[in-house]
Amino acid sequence: MKKFSLKTVKGFNEVLPPESFRWRVVEEKFRELLEGYGFAELRLALLEPTELFARSIGDETDIVEKEMYTFCDRSDRSLTLRPEGTASVVRAYNQYSLGKLNEINKLYYVGPMFRYERPQKGRFRQFHQLGAEVFGEAGFYQDAETLVMLAQFFHELEIKGVVLQLNSLGCENCRPAFRERLQAFLKQRLDALCGDCRRRLDENPLRALDCKNPQCREAVADAPLISESWCTDCREHFAGLRSLLEDVGLEYEVNPKLVRGLDYYTRTTFEFLAGELGAQNAVAAGGRYDRLVEELGGKPTPAFGFAIGFERLMLLVDAGIAPLPRPFAALIALDEEALRLLFPVHVNLNRGVRMTTLGFQQKSLKSQLKKADKDGVEFALIVGSEERARQEAVCRNMKTREQFNLPFVRLEEALRELYDECRRSS
Ligand code: ATP
Ligand code: MG
């Protein structure tokens, strides 16, 4: 018969134990922090009508132009695996009229995103994001609260060396004039621009500002700055945000060329960068998008949001932050009868806490003790034919190597007492 091997789709990142345990601990911290700030979870569809992303993210963006997993279903509808979360959250906000239920809506999500990119360190085709959006707050207090919350998250995870970069993209009043100025500037440097930037010159000239191509970088080095075009409201919004961040001691850098790859941003945009991540250095990113809810058919509603790249985050999180839970005791059965005797003890002790392990294969004492050592248990409880004759198990302290006997009639109780004692003294 022909041998075959089935594998995941290229670049689809899966998370195996023990790493999956660390992911869960980090995710739990995220949920706790956000729920503390009044966010609630949205569990969203993974598949959306393609139009949603074309209309929200923008036709001339990397995502929509070349990164989407788009295909037709059996009734020939064009569907897309979501490449990001914001569009879906806004779609849900409108679809379920969430704005009517609460004046302010703070929503978060956790889950996979899909982009057809070249897989490499920190870049996958199925990757995961932790994200959040706030609807209904127009002022800079919301921007500041969200940024501080993110910084607190990195701090809690003991991640160091993350730099917050900030910019403002202006609004519908002042950005058009800037676009024109920038277009005029870029047109004089057409030869120096890469194909992408040249092609986007009409639709999306701002993208040239954060193009990674070294030649483009050089060409835009002395480009006009958006800050010179801000209207009074945008200027005040940015100044207000900066002074709030200073009040609470959150350090940041202003990066006047930070534009982000999506069309929907207005005013504040930001990235949290970690040098440790190399070329894929943005661990979280987001900003304000005051027009998107309306553009997708809702009432005008200001909004602010972010997404953290889960894979990139985990590259920065030290393994020590989430030590694997260790079982407390290894129950070691040396024969079938001992196994029958220990089985009820084992299942009764493992409710909610992982207290015991029990090998079902009755391997040699030596190999079971070796396994117990590897698992890092505190005690091993050994039952073989001799112990059965005496109606007592041998209990061995794995650290001190001390041994004592425990009568069969109170095995469960004795193990519970030992467990409580150990927890109290640690
Ligand atoms: P980049 O500039 O690295 O391509 P981006 O601007 O496309 O990032 P966003 O759309 O803002 O990224 O997504 C938010 C975060 O999601 C990023 O900061 C990053 O941490 C993560 N991310 C984006 N694309 C990928 C990917 N293909 N694989 C893993 N993580 C990703
Ligand atoms: Mg990208």
Side-chain angles (χ1 to χ4, degrees):
M1 210 166 73
K2 194 177 163 238
K3 253 182 131 182
F4 66 94
S5 65
L6 289 173
K7 290 188 177 158
T8 50
V9 177
K10 183 179 174 195
F12 275 47
N13 186 40
E14 296 178 304
V15 186
L16 308 182
E19 185 65 3
S20 54
F21 173 76
R22 297 176 56 228
W23 274 55
R24 211 205 64 218
V25 171
V26 169
E27 183 178 325
E28 205 54 50
K29 281 183 193 287
F30 177 79
R31 289 173 185 275
E32 266 171 34
L33 178 69
L34 268 84
E35 284 168 11
Y37 273 97
F39 286 78
E41 186 183 14
L42 260 187
R43 296 198 183 216
L44 294 164
L46 298 190
L47 203 57
E48 298 271 7
T50 302
E51 190 196 357
L52 172 66
F53 303 112
R55 277 178 52 180
S56 56
I57 298 170
D59 286 336
E60 306 279 323
T61 57
D62 284 349
I63 291 181
V64 173
E65 273 183 342
K66 41 192 185 198
E67 296 175 1
M68 294 207 305
Y69 274 90
T70 297
F71 53 89
C72 286
D73 72 359
R74 288 168 193 271
S75 23
D76 245 5
R77 270 179 302 234
S78 177
L79 302 178
T80 296
L81 280 168
R82 62 179 190 190
E84 57 117 46
T86 303
S88 300
V89 179
V90 174
R91 193 260 310 134
Y93 179 84
N94 288 340
Q95 180 174 347
Y96 306 110
S97 305
L98 299 183
K100 281 192 199 148
L101 299 179
N102 301 297
E103 193 189 338
I104 312 297
N105 279 274
K106 294 173 127 181
L107 303 163
Y108 75 86
Y109 58 86
V110 177
M113 305 293 162
F114 305 85
R115 297 186 195 176
Y116 194 85
E117 300 190 77
R118 194 168 71 76
Q120 56 198 287
K121 182 185 166 206
R123 196 178 293 289
F124 299 92
R125 291 182 171 177
Q126 175 176 330
F127 63 103
H128 299 78
Q129 287 185 338
L130 303 155
E133 320 287 344
V134 182
F135 297 96
E137 288 281 9
F140 53 78
Y141 279 86
Q142 190 56 60
D143 308 23
E145 183 191 63
T146 312
L147 292 171
V148 171
M149 182 178 77
L150 269 171
Q152 285 173 347
F153 184 49
F154 298 134
H155 180 77
E156 246 179 59
L157 295 174
E158 294 172 35
I159 297 174
K160 295 193 183 70
V162 180
V163 175
L164 167 60
Q165 288 199 345
L166 275 187
N167 192 21
S168 168
L169 295 183
C171 65
E172 53 192 328
N173 297 323
C174 54
R175 192 154 64 196
F178 173 69
R179 260 178 69 128
E180 270 172 38
R181 280 183 64 194
L182 184 64
Q183 254 160 2
F185 172 89
L186 293 173
K187 276 189 181 140
Q188 288 168 352
R189 286 161 183 78
L190 267 188
D191 294 342
L193 298 179
C194 71
D196 278 346
C197 286
R198 249 180 278 170
R199 189 167 40 78
R200 290 172 177 148
L201 192 57
D202 290 324
E203 288 294 323
N204 200 346
L206 270 67
R207 292 301 313 284
L209 292 177
D210 80 341
C211 181
K212 307 251 163 26
N213 185 314
Q215 255 190 294
C216 295
R217 281 193 175 197
E218 208 176 297
V220 301
D222 55 347
L225 297 180
I226 188 145
S227 52
E228 295 157 2
S229 301
W230 289 337
C231 60
T232 311
D233 286 349
C234 284
R235 198 177 301 282
E236 283 174 359
H237 190 100
F238 199 61
L241 171 60
R242 292 185 62 173
S243 73
L244 264 188
L245 295 183
E246 276 145 34
D247 280 359
V248 295
L250 177 57
E251 286 180 25
Y252 63 88
E253 292 170 2
V254 173
N255 176 357
K257 293 212 171 71
L258 180 72
V259 298
R260 315 266 314 109
L262 295 75
D263 273 2
Y264 50 63
Y265 288 109
T266 51
R267 292 202 173 143
T268 314
T269 50
F270 70 89
E271 285 184 352
F272 280 90
L273 304 176
E276 225 180 285
L277 294 176
Q280 279 67 250
N281 64 350
V283 62
R288 181 164 279 288
Y289 52 95
D290 291 340
R291 308 263 318 133
L292 185 61
V293 175
E294 194 184 359
E295 273 165 29
L296 293 182
K299 290 222 176 83
T301 308
F304 190 95
F306 68 84
I308 303 171
F310 213 150
E311 280 80 359
R312 292 187 201 178
L313 180 71
M314 294 311 288
L315 290 172
L316 301 172
V317 173
D318 190 89
I321 199 90
L324 283 175
R326 284 181 300 156
F328 175 67
L331 306 184
I332 297 181
L334 299 177
D335 55 25
E336 172 73 28
E337 276 108 305
L339 183 58
R340 281 212 91 90
L341 179 101
L342 290 175
F343 187 78
V345 177
H346 172 61
V347 294
N348 284 334
L349 287 174
N350 288 286
R351 302 177 195 218
V353 258
R354 180 151 192 237
M355 265 181 69
T356 59
T357 59
L358 174 60
F360 299 151
Q361 293 174 23
Q362 304 146 53
K363 293 202 171 133
S364 72
L365 178 61
K366 193 174 158 206
S367 94
Q368 294 204 56
L369 281 174
K370 208 166 144 193
K371 172 77 167 56
D373 246 342
K374 192 173 158 222
D375 287 343
V377 300
E378 322 233 355
F379 290 92
L381 196 88
I382 304 156
V383 179
S385 56
E386 281 172 39
E387 288 75 19
R388 282 193 293 104
R390 288 201 318 264
Q391 295 284 298
E392 279 182 335
V394 170
C395 190
R396 177 187 176 104
N397 182 319
M398 296 297 282
K399 259 187 227 117
T400 63
R401 308 273 153 181
E402 259 176 298
Q403 297 199 158
F404 51 94
N405 294 325
L406 290 178
F408 280 0
V409 286
R410 53 183 308 273
L411 275 187
E412 223 176 287
E413 198 186 334
L415 276 172
R416 257 201 201 102
E417 283 167 14
L418 277 175
Y419 178 81
D420 290 342
E421 216 173 283
C422 278
R423 288 296 161 277
R424 265 198 305 276
S425 60
S426 69

